[in-house]
Amino acid sequence: MSAVFAVSSLGAVQKAREPDEVGKSVAELNGYREEVWSRLMDQQLHYDEIEDLVHSFNPAIVSSRSGLEDRIRLMHTISERMRARKRDLRQLGEKAKEKGETEEYGSFKMQELVLDRAEKSLDKTVAAMSRPNTASNRPLRVEEREVSNAAKQLMISYDTLMKQREIAEESRRLYEELERDAKQRLSLGLSSAHDVMEETTQRIQAEAQLSALEGSGAALKKDLILLCGWGENGDPEIAPIPEADLSRIDRMNPDADLQKAIANNGDLIDFRHESHVKSTSSWELRADREAAMNENLLANLNGLYRSACGAKAAYEAAVNGLQAAEIEKAAADMQYQLGLLSVPQYLSALIRYRTAEADKCTAEDELFRAMEAYDWALNGSISAE
């Protein structure tokens, strides 16, 4: 079974469930434009698709949302039955009134009024539950957000591993060339068996590193695609994550961003809605506790901001290191062409360049991760305790 069908069979709405849905496409039934839906259903996983994929195809999220939607539909059905029963009672009451049956008329009228109050109360509940952000669906929204963030973390880690794997593959090839050169020089009496052994050890270590990266990458990919709704046998292409935008850090301001973080923070939302004794002393204690939680939230937000700034500094240092390695590599290329460098010296320069390249890739992904963590905190994913 392809990943597309594995995904769609788990979560996507395939046919109309209500009369007003008749004639709509699958994309429209699931709340998407055709071009967006087509992109979600292809065999590529992009970072900016994760939230939609989790929302529409993660089995746990789909199951939770289906349960909530089933409850809403059931209440709609009950409300419709109440309206039908009210109409029947109204007709019966009118007939009783025409016949002069005052007692029966009063009974029918009272039942109609009771049903009317019950219907209005039920409709109010349904309207509240149907809003995008309500207490009823908050657990689902929190779960969906946390699953999406976990998937994003996995994708960033996977991206880092794949970049490292590509560089490790090139390094392994270079170490193989060093080993071959050492063996050739040994045959000419220009090196020792110890030299060959050192190069062989380096090559074996490079192969082990490459194998470890491939194994870790495969495990991360499987976890990632399962969170995004693919089946066990799914094998979508994982697109690179976006490049780190340094200007995002310039826009960060923990003091100014605190109010947004407070409004979205789960700990504070739960605290505000928990039951408590309504007294002056209770209100004072709660006010003190909420102030302390706000201070903790600001401290945690500042910590994430410092982490982002530290990641930026590490990235800039890695960029400088790569630039220096590029200069060294260009010089090595020239010297090697002129016969001024031996094969081992030249290959060693290439390996240093690849190492600097790997350091830069890793630093960039860690910077992206740090900036994402700050934004996730503003949207509620941070402790206020």
Side-chain angles (χ1 to χ4, degrees):
M1 181 181 290
S2 71
V4 168
F5 287 106
V7 170
S8 62
S9 64
L10 284 172
V13 178
Q14 298 292 330
K15 58 183 180 180
R17 298 163 299 179
E18 305 291 344
D20 61 352
E21 293 180 341
V22 175
K24 289 186 176 181
S25 66
V26 173
E28 292 170 330
L29 288 173
N30 287 277
Y32 293 98
R33 300 191 309 276
E34 294 294 338
E35 61 272 20
V36 176
W37 184 251
S38 176
R39 190 165 178 255
L40 290 178
M41 297 299 288
D42 64 19
Q43 286 297 304
Q44 290 186 326
L45 172 53
H46 295 266
Y47 189 84
D48 62 359
E49 296 175 339
I50 287 178
E51 292 182 9
D52 285 327
L53 290 169
V54 168
H55 175 81
S56 295
F57 303 118
N58 179 275
I61 299 300
V62 169
S63 177
S64 296
R65 189 172 61 257
S66 295
L68 178 62
E69 291 172 347
D70 287 344
R71 290 194 294 275
I72 293 174
R73 278 194 290 270
L74 176 60
M75 286 189 285
H76 269 302
T77 300
I78 294 173
S79 183
E80 287 291 340
R81 290 174 181 170
M82 285 182 175
R83 277 190 284 276
R85 180 57 179 161
K86 278 198 313 178
R87 288 193 296 270
D88 292 342
L89 289 168
R90 188 177 300 114
Q91 292 173 359
L92 290 171
E94 291 298 326
K95 290 179 180 179
K97 184 177 180 181
E98 291 172 0
K99 294 178 180 180
E101 299 172 345
T102 307
E103 185 175 344
E104 286 80 357
Y105 171 74
S107 175
F108 289 137
K109 193 66 177 177
M110 179 60 68
Q111 292 180 58
E112 182 185 347
L113 291 173
V114 170
L115 277 177
D116 185 65
R117 285 195 293 269
E119 180 205 342
K120 288 179 179 177
S121 176
L122 187 60
D123 287 345
K124 184 177 180 181
T125 300
V126 171
M129 291 179 66
S130 301
R131 289 198 299 268
N133 298 315
T134 67
S136 300
N137 61 34
R138 198 181 95 75
L140 173 60
R141 288 185 285 112
V142 170
E143 180 185 10
E144 187 173 321
R145 182 188 66 205
E146 296 306 320
V147 172
S148 294
N149 288 349
K152 290 177 181 178
Q153 290 275 17
L154 288 174
M155 188 165 179
I156 295 171
S157 296
Y158 177 81
D159 186 82
T160 301
L161 286 182
M162 289 302 96
K163 290 173 180 174
Q164 291 177 344
R165 193 208 69 80
E166 182 180 350
I167 294 170
E169 172 65 34
E170 176 64 15
S171 296
R172 180 192 62 79
R173 185 188 66 78
L174 294 173
Y175 281 120
E176 284 180 345
E177 291 187 28
L178 282 171
E179 183 183 21
R180 282 195 296 271
D181 181 74
K183 289 179 178 179
Q184 184 178 10
R185 286 187 290 109
L186 176 63
S187 67
L188 298 174
L190 301 176
S191 68
S192 65
H194 177 73
D195 294 332
V196 174
M197 181 59 68
E198 283 187 341
E199 300 302 345
T200 299
T201 300
Q202 294 274 30
R203 188 259 304 164
I204 292 173
Q205 290 175 346
E207 289 177 344
Q209 180 188 19
L210 178 60
S211 178
L213 287 170
E214 289 174 341
S216 297
L220 280 178
K221 180 177 181 178
K222 183 175 182 180
D223 291 341
L224 170 60
I225 66 173
L226 287 175
L227 286 181
C228 292
W230 271 272
E232 289 282 345
N233 298 322
D235 188 27
E237 177 187 347
I238 310 298
I241 65 171
E243 293 183 359
D245 179 5
L246 296 180
S247 67
R248 288 174 65 181
I249 295 181
D250 298 332
R251 295 192 294 270
M252 293 178 184
N253 185 329
D255 292 319
D257 294 335
L258 179 61
Q259 290 307 311
K260 180 178 180 180
I262 288 174
N264 294 325
N265 186 262
D267 292 338
L268 283 164
I269 292 172
D270 290 340
F271 173 72
R272 296 187 198 107
H273 288 89
E274 69 182 20
S275 59
H276 61 92
V277 177
K278 292 179 173 57
S279 66
T280 301
S281 59
S282 174
W283 284 113
E284 290 175 348
L285 288 173
R286 287 179 61 80
D288 290 342
R289 185 181 170 196
E290 184 167 359
M293 294 175 75
N294 289 344
E295 290 177 1
N296 291 337
L297 186 58
L298 178 59
N300 293 337
L301 203 58
N302 273 310
L304 290 173
Y305 175 67
R306 288 192 296 271
S307 294
C309 291
K312 178 184 178 183
Y315 170 72
E316 290 173 340
V319 169
N320 291 334
L322 179 58
Q323 290 173 346
E326 288 173 343
I327 294 172
E328 180 188 2
K329 178 181 176 298
D333 288 340
M334 180 74 70
Q335 291 173 331
Y336 184 66
Q337 291 175 2
L338 296 174
L340 301 176
L341 282 183
S342 65
V343 171
Q345 289 173 323
Y346 178 61
L347 293 178
S348 295
L350 293 184
I351 290 172
R352 287 192 294 274
Y353 168 73
R354 286 299 183 184
T355 300
E357 191 176 33
D359 291 343
K360 184 261 185 182
C361 290
T362 300
E364 182 175 16
D365 282 356
E366 288 306 308
L367 173 59
F368 183 76
R369 188 195 303 274
M371 293 189 294
E372 287 288 273
Y374 185 89
D375 286 348
W376 295 338
L378 297 187
N379 292 322
S381 296
I382 186 176
S383 174
E385 299 293 348

